[in-house]
Amino acid sequence: MIPSRVRPAPDADERSLLLGWLNLQRSIIHWKCEGLSEADAHRVVLPTSPNMTMAGLVSHLRWTEHVWFEVILLDSPSDPNPQFADEPDADMLVADVPMAQLLDDYARQCATADEIIAGLPLDTVARHARYGGATLRWILLHMLEETARHAGHADTIRELLDGTTGYY
């Protein structure tokens, strides 16, 4: 289920604020993809970033959710995450994957992350050897930053594709 584009209440508790803002950014990603043709979803519009298509962004965000919540926080196996491939931007190389599938995969990954988050206190420390010391709170803030940054990219890409603009 894709959350609605609603800001969290200003007086909400910390967990509700962190998840509310993250879910707002996640929903903006889905919104920016609404109505795109397959050709546009896979079209490169930024010449200096040939792998950054709308489809590539969605795939990247899906795998970023996987790596931070499953691999780093829970220290689960990373396979088959393409972010660990030798090829740069491998998680964005999705020319043969339909946009609907990428959006469904992203939504499922966000749901998995939400299940993990729900079962842990914000002070939970990541179990991953390299990132031990990162709390769930820190990871949520990082994912909020990461998703918001890419929502900005998606906004620019969408405007370059068909002129559609809008904040949320």
Side-chain angles (χ1 to χ4, degrees), residues 55-89:
L57 275 179
V58 172
S59 177
H60 170 72
L61 285 167
R62 181 265 176 158
W63 288 112
T64 301
E65 293 263 351
H66 172 259
V67 78
W68 278 101
F69 293 110
E70 292 185 64
V71 177
I72 293 172
L73 182 62
L74 298 182
D75 200 19
S76 298
S78 60
D79 290 335
N81 191 321
Q83 290 181 331
F84 298 104
D86 291 333
E87 186 170 3
D89 298 331

Side-chain angles (χ1 to χ4, degrees), residues 11-168:
D11 60 349
D13 63 274
E14 181 182 20
R15 178 179 288 271
S16 297
L17 287 169
L18 290 169
L19 292 174
W21 284 108
L22 178 57
N23 282 330
L24 172 63
Q25 298 305 314
R26 288 168 168 172
S27 68
I28 288 170
I29 296 297
H30 284 269
W31 174 53
K32 289 296 174 176
C33 296
E34 286 178 6
L36 279 179
S37 68
E38 280 303 314
D40 280 348
H42 293 86
R43 181 170 292 129
V44 174
V45 294
L46 302 171
T48 58
S49 300
N51 296 327
M52 190 181 291
T53 63
M54 196 70 88
L57 275 179
V58 172
S59 177
H60 170 72
L61 285 167
R62 181 265 176 158
W63 288 112
T64 301
E65 293 263 351
H66 172 259
V67 78
W68 278 101
F69 293 110
E70 292 185 64
V71 177
I72 293 172
L73 182 62
L74 298 182
D75 200 19
S76 298
S78 60
D79 290 335
N81 191 321
Q83 290 181 331
F84 298 104
D86 291 333
E87 186 170 3
D89 298 331
D91 60 333
M92 290 185 153
L93 303 177
V94 292
D96 58 337
V97 183
M99 189 63 167
Q101 178 183 334
L102 293 168
L103 288 167
D104 287 347
D105 290 347
Y106 180 45
R108 275 192 300 279
Q109 191 64 55
C110 290
T112 297
D114 288 347
E115 288 175 18
I116 293 167
I117 294 162
L120 299 171
L122 294 176
D123 291 330
T124 300
V125 177
R127 296 181 217 154
H128 191 274
R130 181 173 172 200
Y131 290 96
T135 63
L136 174 57
R137 177 182 290 103
W138 187 94
I139 292 169
L140 284 167
L141 284 166
H142 171 68
M143 284 304 303
L144 175 55
E145 174 273 329
E146 174 91 4
T147 308
R149 182 166 34 93
H150 289 311
H153 292 137
D155 191 46
T156 299
I157 291 169
R158 185 64 190 253
E159 185 173 352
L160 291 169
L161 285 169
D162 63 11
T164 299
T165 61
Y167 181 60
Y168 64 93

